[in-house]
Amino acid sequence: MSALKGPALLFCPADRPDRYAKAAARADSVVLDLEDAVAPADKDRARQSVVQALPGLDPAHTFVRINALDTPWGEHDLAALPAHTMVMLPKAGSAADVRACAPHTVLALCETAAGVLAAESLARTDNCAGLMWGGEDLIADLGGRSSRGPDGGYRGVVRHARAQVLLAATAAHKYAVDAVHLDIPDLEGLAVEAEDAAAVGFRAKACIHPSHVAPIRTAFAPTEAEGRWAREVLAAAETHGAVFRHEGRMVDAPVLAHARSVLTALEPTGDAAHPTRK
């Protein structure tokens, strides 16, 4: 199953082929969007542009968000794509939806009530590489009016959906992707969300603007202090065993797992765009 390449997934409108290469160069992965970013009258032209461009893009770093399978365009999108293409499936509602995309590898979007409730079965489908969630579509599906409260934070049902997707993906040993931050100038709010996503175990965060890539990468990069702590704790474990005290704190198996996660995030990737935070 394909591995996720870096923490920042940048959406690019599929009807703007002039932006494909730029988006791919700026982010860890690019998502060529045939769904929300393209008007109905432009779907066929955008699909042709994607198919023509795919041979020149790195298949390990490129997703294509097709249209939902219950639309007039979804099956045409699937039929047009080369078999190795990684597909982002919007409004995935059942494991059957994911299987219908085979042989494509699928990042399933849980953005309806049915999709959130089916997250576990979606993640356990053989050709599912991971799950992502979406708050705005979920609220629309619920017949609601706003995904966020007066304080700017997500409402309870949206937080529940986010947690459900993370738990389901992790339990199935698949990756979980955090949703986009729609307020483009709000880089501070984006950073808070991205840091929380990294802290709880999301592997990546999607974004809709190139300016969001750097804050996401920074948020997912461990700090220098975290890296130093992880190395010290793991070195101490070689001497003291599985349970011991380090700098006044008890260290046991879960803490050692945290330390290994930090070091994994610090492993060299050959890409200077993944910094260690101060």
Side-chain angles (χ1 to χ4, degrees), residues 98-119:
V98 177
R99 287 194 294 268
C101 296
H104 299 290
T105 298
V106 173
L107 174 59
L109 271 166
C110 302
E111 51 188 352
T112 63
V116 172
L117 293 176

Side-chain angles (χ1 to χ4, degrees), residues 184-211:
I184 293 174
D186 180 26
L187 298 184
E188 182 177 348
L190 166 69
V192 170
E193 285 187 7
E195 288 172 8
D196 180 74
V200 298
F202 281 96
R203 288 281 303 280
K205 186 172 180 64
C207 56
I208 57 173
H209 194 271
S211 66

Side-chain angles (χ1 to χ4, degrees), residues 119-134:
E120 183 177 357
S121 61
L122 293 171
R124 294 190 183 279
T125 307
D126 288 343
N127 62 314
C128 179
L131 303 180
M132 179 174 155
W133 67 282

Side-chain angles (χ1 to χ4, degrees), residues 34 43 47 65-67 73-81:
L34 288 165
K43 299 283 190 185
R47 184 189 307 117
R65 179 159 74 168
I66 64 172
N67 290 278
W73 310 284
E75 292 186 3
H76 294 291
D77 295 341
L78 280 176
L81 296 176

Side-chain angles (χ1 to χ4, degrees), residues 230-250:
R231 293 186 183 95
E232 291 175 355
V233 164
L234 292 174
E238 295 180 2
T239 301
H240 300 295
V243 180
F244 57 96
R245 188 170 68 177
H246 179 73
E247 295 182 348
R249 292 183 57 194
M250 187 188 79

